[in-house]
Amino acid sequence: MDETILLAVIAYCLAGIVISVLFLLFGIARADHAAKGAGIAFRLTILPGLIFLWPIILGRWLSGRQINQDIHAGDNS
Amino acid sequence: MGHQYQAIQWNKNKVQYDIAIALFALLYTGVFVVTGLQPSETGNTPDPVVLLIRAFGTCSFLLLTFILMIGPLARLSDRFKPMLYNRRHFGVFTFLLATAHFGLALMWYHGFGPLNPFVSLFVSNQPGGTFPGFPFEVLGLAAFIIMLFMAITSHDFWLNNLSAPVWKALHMMVYVAYGLLVIHIAAGALLTEKSPLYPALVLFAFLIVAGLHLLTGLRERGHDRLRRALEDKGWVSVSAPQDIPDKRAVIVPLRDGERVAVFRDGNKVSAVTNVCRHQNGPLGEGRVVDGCITCPWHGWQYRMEDGISPPPFTEKIATYNLKLMNGMIFLDPVANAPGTKVDPVLFDQSVQRASENTEATVS
Ligand code: HEM
Ligand code: FES
């Protein structure tokens, strides 16, 4: 086993942290309307997943695809 | 697709279950460590850290076993259905316990050497390593990684954004993880020379989980065959009994233009023709009053169970036969002679309507 693999994993996760924070701040509300106006606790809940699965989410973000358009911000009934 | 996201979906029921699980884990770990610290006949007591590692590991495995039993149990009996809606929280607990086990084991067995702990984990099964022989820790790690990905994608956001099929495929990996863990524990216990109790218990748990899945699988195949046989004979599926509003009916059109009113009164369901004897009023738009179907037009009444007007009246309408299968009501399109008594279909009312449950249960 080589330490370089470990370093690669760490680098991947560091990139994940950067992309995730950017996505949570600027991308998520457009990509998934159910996240519009959702609280900081929700954002922290999905953060671990974002850090590991960031390539999928980055692809989604760049593609401009949106889901859950029928949900309006503040509609928390 | 529902509402704006929240961090964690809690309701009273879920909070109760979560508290129960947390208390169980706390109690289990406490008892495990305290009893383990009692000096044995040989005089050597295990290190408390090792006891904690074992306590967290076994507790996590127990919880996972329990989670995997919920699915088949809920299909065998509606009583277990509420647990289905708490599986997600159980799963995250299981993962947290596994993390404690993994973290402590990594620190304790691999944290003090010259190697990076993760590197040490992969080489420790070589001769001269901490656990020479079978690499049971690597299997544990593989299972842990699967559970990690399940835990971090457990929020609805991931169900929506990964798409349901991908999400479900990912979460079906739990069975792979379970298999890996069975070997991890059996082999680990053998290597660390503990009592054969561990492999025996793990095998027992595994057999229960596998047996339950086999049982429900066979049962469902039987049900499917029966349902197909019913449909071949022309029976019509109506709806889940819970989806009929209480004291009301759903109207089922038959192929020959006939209409049938399927009424629900509490936990009883009966079917009669939709046509009132008086002036052909639409019975299915009426209500059940005192156990009698009451026509919306002029109030004529018929008993649910036999379609006969309560005394002193003697009017009769046709009844139909029903069957409840897999939570679905089936209707025999062949009418009984007017006034034929048919025992109502009974169902368990405590089971909620699917639509009343906000949590996604892709299972
Ligand atoms: C989902 C994850 C895991 C579960 C549920 C789990 C569960 C268990 C169980 C029930 C035991 C048996 C107790 C015993 O033999 O002492 C055990 C032993 C052990 N596991 Fe895990 N395990 C997991 C992952 C891991 C990982 C990733 C490692 C890697 C460091 C690991 C390291 C160990 C070690 C070193 C033992 C032997 C401990 C001892 O006897 O002192 N486990 N595990
Ligand atoms: S048509 Fe039913 S009561 Fe008159």
Side-chain angles (χ1 to χ4, degrees):
Chain A
M1 233 348 116
D2 201 339
E3 295 225 2
T4 47
I5 296 181
L6 214 59
L7 287 177
V9 172
I10 292 170
Y12 174 87
C13 291
L14 282 178
I17 292 173
V18 175
I19 305 274
S20 303
V21 170
L22 290 177
F23 178 71
L24 284 177
L25 288 177
F26 307 113
I28 193 169
R30 249 181 79 79
D32 185 343
H33 288 235
K36 214 188 283 180
I40 179 86
F42 157 72
R43 284 159 213 263
L44 288 178
T45 313
I46 64 164
L47 183 61
L50 290 174
I51 291 173
F52 283 97
L53 299 171
W54 63 267
I56 297 176
I57 287 300
L58 186 62
R60 271 289 314 279
W61 191 5
L62 295 179
S63 78
R65 203 163 74 81
Q66 305 182 25
I67 62 169
N68 286 329
Q69 277 102 326
D70 55 323
I71 293 172
H72 309 291
D75 174 12
N76 213 353
S77 52
Chain B
M1 245 192 216
H3 308 297
Q4 190 191 41
Y5 293 133
Q6 294 166 10
I8 304 174
Q9 275 185 14
W10 262 313
N11 54 35
K12 211 171 126 231
N13 177 274
K14 286 210 171 92
V15 169
Q16 283 169 353
Y17 271 97
D18 287 354
I19 291 175
I21 291 275
L23 282 181
F24 168 77
L26 216 66
L27 209 69
Y28 178 93
T29 315
V31 170
F32 194 103
V33 173
V34 169
T35 50
L37 281 177
Q38 310 304 318
S40 64
E41 308 92 64
T42 50
N44 49 358
T45 46
D47 200 287
V49 178
V50 171
L51 284 173
L52 263 183
I53 293 175
R54 294 178 188 171
F56 286 140
T58 49
C59 192
S60 180
F61 181 77
L62 277 180
L63 269 179
L64 190 60
T65 302
F66 173 65
I67 291 172
L68 293 183
M69 288 168 60
I70 294 175
L73 283 177
R75 272 183 276 162
L76 287 175
S77 162
D78 285 339
R79 247 174 310 148
F80 295 100
K81 282 241 167 78
M83 284 184 188
L84 213 51
Y85 311 125
N86 292 287
R87 260 197 317 195
R88 192 186 312 214
H89 287 202
F90 293 165
V92 175
F93 263 109
T94 307
F95 169 71
L96 291 179
L97 286 163
T99 309
H101 168 81
F102 172 42
L104 275 182
L106 194 66
M107 195 189 75
W108 187 251
Y109 291 110
H110 307 286
F112 302 117
L115 287 172
N116 178 297
F118 283 96
V119 177
S120 161
L121 193 161
F122 278 96
V123 296
S124 63
N125 65 310
Q126 285 160 13
T130 320
F131 300 112
F134 187 76
F136 74 97
E137 283 187 309
V138 176
L139 297 191
L141 184 64
F144 178 79
I145 289 172
I146 292 175
M147 287 169 66
L148 170 75
F149 274 90
M150 291 176 58
I152 63 177
T153 59
S154 59
H155 195 278
D156 270 345
F157 169 85
W158 290 106
L159 177 62
N160 289 340
N161 283 278
L162 291 177
S163 82
V166 173
W167 191 86
K168 192 181 169 189
L170 175 62
H171 284 242
M172 289 305 276
M173 294 277 286
V174 71
Y175 290 105
V176 178
Y178 193 71
L180 289 169
L181 284 177
V182 168
I183 307 173
H184 167 76
I185 299 166
L190 288 180
L191 278 185
T192 53
E193 289 173 83
K194 277 185 302 293
S195 73
L197 199 66
Y198 278 93
L201 282 179
V202 166
L203 193 69
F204 181 64
F206 174 76
L207 286 179
I208 287 186
V209 168
L212 270 175
H213 278 81
L214 208 67
L215 186 70
T216 47
L218 288 176
R219 225 178 81 116
E220 234 135 74
R221 257 190 36 198
H223 275 162
D224 282 351
R225 219 176 288 143
L226 213 70
R227 206 188 61 219
R228 242 171 283 132
L230 280 182
E231 281 168 356
D232 285 348
K233 280 196 278 177
W235 287 56
V236 188
S237 66
V238 179
S239 78
Q242 296 91 335
D243 288 341
I244 306 174
D246 195 19
K247 311 249 183 249
R248 296 238 173 214
V250 293
I251 298 172
V252 182
L254 296 182
R255 226 172 277 157
D256 55 6
E258 203 69 51
R259 284 160 161 261
V260 179
V262 182
F263 273 96
R264 165 179 169 199
D265 185 10
N267 67 339
K268 289 183 287 204
V269 182
S270 297
V272 297
T273 171
N274 193 44
V275 182
C276 181
R277 279 279 291 156
H278 180 217
Q279 286 176 4
N280 299 343
L283 285 176
E285 290 169 27
R287 289 170 177 276
V288 178
V289 179
D290 300 328
C292 287
I293 294 161
T294 308
C295 181
W297 281 6
H298 316 98
W300 282 31
Q301 289 194 306
Y302 310 92
R303 287 196 299 246
M304 274 198 32
E305 63 274 15
D306 56 10
I308 302 178
S309 297
F313 305 102
T314 54
E315 251 61 49
K316 290 177 187 167
I317 53 172
T319 57
Y320 286 82
N321 298 329
L322 297 175
K323 252 197 184 74
L324 181 65
M325 206 184 332
N326 286 356
M328 175 65 85
I329 291 183
F330 287 84
L331 166 74
D332 183 353
V334 180
N336 298 316
T340 305
K341 186 168 192 312
V342 178
D343 286 329
V345 161
L346 301 177
F347 70 97
D348 184 0
Q349 257 182 305
S350 61
V351 181
Q352 294 175 321
R353 291 167 60 176
S355 52
E356 278 168 13
N357 250 293
T358 48
E359 177 153 326
T361 46
V362 183
S363 60

